[in-house]
């Protein structure tokens, strides 16, 4: 073997190892996206469940109960294509129902209301964090997938292009301000 051929083989092995490492990194990022999406789905389901439970508890006035129940029910039953809109509608309904601190106090004063208010506060706080974690993972995968080496060598395989989860997730001010 000639020294030139040996150097060519060494270079090809090094390139192969680098591409394999990059493909593994991309695979780990896609797994992270799946995990963060599952976490986000769990937090969204928890928020909708707590809101629906609170709406049917009889603690809220009838109009607020109907608005909150319908938004929570729509968020739980939404198809994947409409889920971001339904979750944004639930966020808006929560802000409308709990716009005034007096409404939060009324919930807290009802039997079992302190626990319900605390659970709702925790649920509305965790949704933005879960969405941020998911969107950060999506951003990292997108940045890596935009590199030429990933596109040229098709290192992403057949994995779909990751999409960020965009929704209105601002919590009601009265719940966040009064949180213990």
């Amino acid at each position: 073997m000639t020294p030139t051929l040996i150097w060519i083989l060494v270079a090809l092995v090094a390139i192969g190892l680098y591409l394999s490492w990059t493909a593994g990194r991309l695979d780990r990022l896609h797994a992270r996206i799946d995990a963060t999406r599952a976490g986000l789905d769990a937090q969204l389901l928890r928020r909708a469940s707590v809101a629906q439970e609170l709406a049917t508890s009889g603690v809220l006035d009838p109009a607020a109960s109907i608005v909150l129940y319908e938004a929570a029910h729509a968020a739980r039953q939404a198809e994947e294509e409409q889920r971001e809109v339904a979750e944004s509608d639930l966020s808006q309904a929560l802000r409308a129902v709990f716009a005034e601190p007096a409404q939060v106090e009324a919930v807290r004063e009802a039997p079992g209301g302190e626990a319900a208010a605390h659970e709702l506060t925790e649920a509305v706080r965790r949704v933005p964090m879960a969405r941020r974690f998911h969107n950060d993972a999506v951003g990292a995968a997108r940045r890596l997938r935009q590199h030429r080496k990933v596109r040229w060598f098709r290192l992403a395989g057949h994995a779909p292009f990751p999409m960020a989860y965009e929704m209105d997730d601002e919590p009601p001010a009265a719940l966040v301000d009064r949180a213990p």
Side-chain angles (χ1 to χ4, degrees), residues 141-176:
R142 281 180 162 186
R143 284 188 297 277
L144 184 58
R145 286 182 71 153
Q146 289 174 350
H147 290 179
R148 271 185 249 138
K149 66 180 177 258
V150 173
R151 290 191 319 260
W152 287 353
F153 293 103
R154 300 180 189 265
L155 298 180
H158 297 289
F161 194 74
M163 300 301 291
Y165 200 88
E166 298 300 331
M167 63 172 270
D168 174 9
D169 61 1
E170 186 177 334
L175 280 177
V176 175

Side-chain angles (χ1 to χ4, degrees), residues 22-36:
T22 303
R25 181 173 169 226
L26 190 57
D27 186 51
R28 287 188 301 276
L29 282 171
H30 282 121
R32 185 172 144 212
I33 288 170
D34 292 342
T36 58

Side-chain angles (χ1 to χ4, degrees), residues 59-74:
V59 174
L60 301 173
D61 63 89
S65 292
I66 291 171
V67 167
L68 195 56
Y69 180 83
E70 287 180 356
H73 181 71

Side-chain angles (χ1 to χ4, degrees), residues 7 84 89 155:
W7 282 111
E84 291 174 356
D89 291 345
L155 298 180

Side-chain angles (χ1 to χ4, degrees), residues 51-112:
Q52 205 168 19
E53 183 179 315
L54 191 58
T56 59
S57 68
V59 174
L60 301 173
D61 63 89
S65 292
I66 291 171
V67 167
L68 195 56
Y69 180 83
E70 287 180 356
H73 181 71
R76 290 183 74 177
Q77 301 298 320
E79 295 293 325
E80 192 61 35
E81 303 83 37
Q82 299 298 319
R83 185 138 186 236
E84 291 174 356
V85 173
E87 293 294 347
S88 293
D89 291 345
L90 177 56
S91 294
Q92 292 169 1
L94 284 165
R95 281 197 307 272
V97 169
F98 295 106
E100 300 297 322
Q103 186 74 353
V104 177
E105 287 304 317
V107 169
R108 289 183 191 272
E109 291 170 1

Side-chain angles (χ1 to χ4, degrees), residues 118-130:
H118 178 70
E119 194 172 350
L120 183 62
T121 301
E122 289 301 311
V124 299
R125 280 184 169 178
R126 288 179 179 167
V127 167
M129 286 189 296

